[in-house]
Amino acid sequence: MEPLTHPLLDEATVSQLRATLLADETSWQDGRKTAGYQAAEVKNNLQLDRNSKTAKENSQLVIKQLESDPLVKSFALPRHIHGVMFSRSGIGQGYGMHVDNAYMSSGRSDLSFTLFLSEPESYDGGALCIQTLQDSKQVKLPAGQLIIYPSTSLHAVETVTAGERLVCVGWIQSYIRSNEDRTILFGLNAGARALLAEHGRSPELDLIFQAYTNMLRRLGN
């Protein structure tokens, strides 16, 4: 399944969110506290305490944006968006190659997401590296954009060599567990919506939407 990159937050929202997070100087803690036993050995960053008021309020902001975004809903078919947290990495910090836990206290991880909150020119290094079959994909997006990718992927964050990287990360438990099934449904839904926008309603298009809905019902869990 190919990752999805997509603008989620506008410039004003990102700027306000970034200022709010960095203003809470007392709630940042060692990121290894939330890592699994395997990942903790290669994790070196700071994370905002999930129980802090700042983290709770701004996590809900991100979740609401994800839940209301049509493209995210079509791609991820989210049943539960969970484990949302804010991470910052300064010079010398990063996150070595790892795979996310399949099950967390907050839910199953079918898809992972990273929402970039720092402009890419404000820091060096810090790219998200997602391992593919033969190489790795490096991702460093403008502030306000996110990437959603299968949680089954090995991935890492390159060491930051200048500036500071601020992101929001989290996981999605999808109604469709299989990446392959989710990809097929996404393509079918996208094609049907494009036909609807170009040609309007038709009996033939009703049949396509019927097939999509019934496949979703059959494959969902």
Side-chain angles (χ1 to χ4, degrees), residues 75-104:
F75 178 80
L77 296 168
R79 181 172 190 167
H80 180 40
I81 299 171
H82 63 94
V84 177
M85 56 188 170
F86 299 94
S87 169
R88 61 194 292 193
S89 303
I91 296 173
Q93 293 184 311
Y95 199 165
M97 195 64 72
H98 65 285
V99 63
D100 293 333
N101 290 340
Y103 289 91
M104 306 174 184

Side-chain angles (χ1 to χ4, degrees), residues 94-116:
Y95 199 165
M97 195 64 72
H98 65 285
V99 63
D100 293 333
N101 290 340
Y103 289 91
M104 306 174 184
S105 59
S106 51
R108 190 181 70 226
S109 62
D110 297 321
L111 293 162
S112 305
F113 70 83
T114 297
L115 170 63
F116 289 78

Side-chain angles (χ1 to χ4, degrees), residues 31-107:
R32 287 174 293 186
K33 289 185 177 181
T34 61
Y37 71 92
Q38 176 260 350
E41 296 181 1
V42 294
K43 189 174 186 178
N44 179 20
N45 64 8
L46 295 175
Q47 286 175 183
L48 194 64
D49 182 357
R50 285 176 172 170
N51 294 317
S52 68
K53 180 180 178 182
T54 303
K56 289 179 178 179
E57 290 179 351
N58 290 285
S59 293
Q60 285 305 307
L61 183 152
V62 172
I63 290 171
K64 287 180 180 178
Q65 290 290 328
L66 288 166
E67 290 177 337
S68 63
D69 189 283
L71 187 61
V72 171
K73 290 195 292 184
S74 178
F75 178 80
L77 296 168
R79 181 172 190 167
H80 180 40
I81 299 171
H82 63 94
V84 177
M85 56 188 170
F86 299 94
S87 169
R88 61 194 292 193
S89 303
I91 296 173
Q93 293 184 311
Y95 199 165
M97 195 64 72
H98 65 285
V99 63
D100 293 333
N101 290 340
Y103 289 91
M104 306 174 184
S105 59
S106 51

Side-chain angles (χ1 to χ4, degrees), residues 4-5 29 35 44 49 63 73 86-87 92 94 106 113 122 139 143 153 164 174 179-180 186 198-199 211 213 218 221:
L4 174 74
T5 58
Q29 55 188 213
N44 179 20
D49 182 357
I63 290 171
K73 290 195 292 184
F86 299 94
S87 169
S106 51
F113 70 83
S122 70
V139 182
S153 307
E164 185 175 68
S174 176
N179 290 325
E180 182 179 6
F186 178 59
E198 185 172 353
H199 302 291
T213 301
R218 179 176 181 179
N221 61 76

